[in-house]
Amino acid sequence: MGEGERGGGMPASRAAASAALPHAGEETGTPGPEGTREPGAVRTLRPRSQLIRQTRLVVAALTLPILAAMLWFAIPRGTWPRVIIAALFILALYVVAAALLRGVSIRLERDGLIERGFFVRLNRVPAKRVATALIVDIYRGATTETTRQLFLLDTTGEPLLRMRGEFWSNDDIDTVARAFGAPVQRLSDPITADRLRTEMPELVYWFERWPWAGRLAIAGTIALFTLVLIALMSPASLAIS
């Protein structure tokens, strides 16, 4: 849910985007006392609690009807053990994913922050490297609703941390933006995800820069998952002597 350090100088596209930011209507300023923390204070932020519930509902809606139908037809044939194995396989994947999601956090300390990502990757950001906190409101698809995003940048515009409103509350985003006294820049008007990807591609993930690659990766994952289930439920495997 964040981006770590990347080497190299500042690309021309990043320089152009950074130069254009002050003319895009942000409110730029240094946070006041309400945005600071007491020396030595530590605070741990976690993603929205609704994520676990929403994930549970989506998994249940997608898998339970299919597994129930498969079990209904498998019981008379005596092949129900394979259906149970498939159900346990799906349950194991869900438990692992839920555990990884629960472990995601951002720990704010006096001298910086530590981001623990979904795949247990630690991203350490020293406070002295944070030069700017950029807040952008992004339209959700074709609707007028927006989602807030935060980018912590160093002096060259290199992204140190990214927080997306789909995962983090606005209060948590504002807390991190003002945690280390860096100037906070905020675009006055929301923008589309396409505009963010086009004008500031270095701030977004690879699958956002190349949407076709992201869709291909998702399709490949679904295909692999389907092949595993087919292997478990194939007639040859289902034969019980």
Side-chain angles (χ1 to χ4, degrees):
M1 297 181 186
E3 293 183 351
E5 302 178 12
R6 286 171 293 179
M10 186 175 183
S13 61
R14 180 181 301 161
S18 300
L21 283 176
H23 306 287
E26 316 94 314
E27 298 178 0
T28 304
T30 302
E34 70 281 358
T36 61
R37 293 174 293 112
E38 294 297 327
V42 174
R43 180 177 179 184
T44 300
L45 307 177
R46 299 192 181 279
R48 296 176 181 270
S49 57
Q50 303 96 309
L51 282 177
I52 297 293
R53 295 195 294 269
Q54 291 172 354
T55 303
R56 186 183 300 119
L57 290 174
V58 169
V59 171
L62 291 177
T63 60
L64 289 183
I66 297 175
L67 290 174
M70 293 169 62
L71 189 61
W72 176 268
F73 288 105
I75 289 176
R77 300 169 53 192
T79 57
W80 57 268
R82 293 295 180 177
V83 180
I84 300 301
I85 292 175
L88 292 176
F89 174 73
I90 295 174
L91 178 62
L93 291 180
Y94 168 76
V95 169
V96 171
L100 291 174
L101 183 57
R102 288 181 182 276
V104 173
S105 66
I106 294 178
R107 180 181 173 88
L108 297 176
E109 300 178 344
R110 184 181 64 175
D111 57 351
L113 63 83
I114 301 176
E115 177 197 19
R116 187 177 188 270
F118 183 76
F119 294 105
V120 201
R121 182 182 63 87
L122 296 181
N123 175 31
R124 300 177 184 272
V125 179
K128 62 183 180 181
R129 287 203 61 193
V130 181
T132 305
L134 173 63
I135 297 178
V136 184
D137 292 317
I138 308 294
Y139 284 115
R140 295 182 180 177
T143 69
T144 57
E145 297 181 353
T146 60
T147 300
R148 184 169 300 176
Q149 297 200 24
L150 168 69
F151 302 91
L152 295 186
L153 310 175
D154 66 10
T155 55
T156 66
E158 188 80 16
L160 304 172
L161 177 78
R162 179 184 182 184
M163 296 177 68
R164 291 186 288 175
E166 296 93 336
F167 305 104
W168 306 93
S169 69
N170 288 347
D171 289 341
D172 287 346
I173 288 177
D174 291 339
T175 296
V176 175
R178 293 169 171 81
F180 306 114
V184 179
Q185 296 183 342
R186 180 169 183 173
L187 298 186
S188 59
D189 298 317
I191 63 175
T192 64
D194 287 340
R195 180 179 170 188
L196 177 66
R197 181 178 67 248
T198 301
E199 297 184 2
M200 291 173 276
E202 66 282 348
L203 298 184
V204 300
Y205 298 113
W206 65 268
F207 53 83
E208 294 175 287
R209 277 180 240 169
W210 302 289
W212 61 269
R215 289 192 289 267
L216 185 61
I218 293 175
T221 302
I222 294 175
L224 179 61
F225 180 73
T226 302
L227 288 175
V228 171
L229 289 181
I230 290 175
L232 289 173
M233 301 301 300
S234 63
S237 299
L238 290 172
I240 298 179
S241 55

